[in-house]
Amino acid sequence: MSYITKRDGSQYESKRLQIAEITLSGQPALNGYYDLSVTQNTYDSAPTVTNSNELNLATGNYQGLINLNVTRSTNSDNYQFQAELNGSVVGKSGQTAAYLNDVVDPAEFEITLSSAGIVKVKCVGVESSAPTLEANQSKLWLWRVVIS
């Protein structure tokens, strides 16, 4: 998808919105990380995964949405999760089911990278016991626009 933006108040330029679908797997403990796999993307150059849980990103403006689909042994088996950029959590945390009696929410984040960066998905909370991720159903959707 392309669109036109105005730069410096007078000059127009074309931008292309890019998207990547990243599948999450694993069952991390508190402060652990989910494994990542790039399922499909429309990026100019596909993001890569190193060490099974590090998503390597090029410069650009990004918006991410993380959603987990889980199976629980009991209703109180829930995760709380959040994106991490270069070692620091960013954006809003998400949670499965009713983590600590709160509503189900995806995690969301926006970042601007003027140089390459590494994004991970971190387990920031476990209520009762860790649930099991449903195979191929937990996703990170990552939209990107190249910085001019």
Side-chain angles (χ1 to χ4, degrees), residues 17 22 43 47 55-66 82-92 108-121 140-147:
L17 182 62
I22 294 101
Y43 285 26
L55 186 63
N56 300 281
L57 300 177
T59 60
N61 293 313
Y62 294 87
Q63 181 171 357
L65 179 79
I66 306 163
Q82 193 165 3
E84 182 180 277
L85 172 64
N86 298 331
S88 298
V89 290
V90 292
K92 181 179 88 58
E108 300 174 353
F109 63 96
E110 291 182 28
I111 55 175
T112 297
L113 296 175
S114 55
S115 60
I118 294 175
V119 167
K120 296 180 176 185
V121 179
L140 161 58
W141 300 95
L142 195 59
W143 291 268
R144 174 181 186 243
V145 174
V146 175
I147 297 174

Side-chain angles (χ1 to χ4, degrees), residues 57-137:
L57 300 177
T59 60
N61 293 313
Y62 294 87
Q63 181 171 357
L65 179 79
I66 306 163
N67 219 354
L68 300 186
N69 188 356
V70 299
T71 299
R72 315 168 172 72
S73 298
T74 68
N75 286 343
S76 61
D77 291 349
N78 291 300
Y79 273 130
Q80 189 175 38
F81 50 95
Q82 193 165 3
E84 182 180 277
L85 172 64
N86 298 331
S88 298
V89 290
V90 292
K92 181 179 88 58
S93 65
Q95 59 225 6
T96 60
Y99 179 86
L100 298 178
N101 298 315
D102 207 346
V103 297
V104 178
D105 281 317
E108 300 174 353
F109 63 96
E110 291 182 28
I111 55 175
T112 297
L113 296 175
S114 55
S115 60
I118 294 175
V119 167
K120 296 180 176 185
V121 179
K122 184 174 189 172
C123 171
V124 295
V126 177
E127 180 185 22
S128 190
S129 296
T132 303
L133 293 185
E134 290 289 334
N136 301 315
Q137 294 182 22

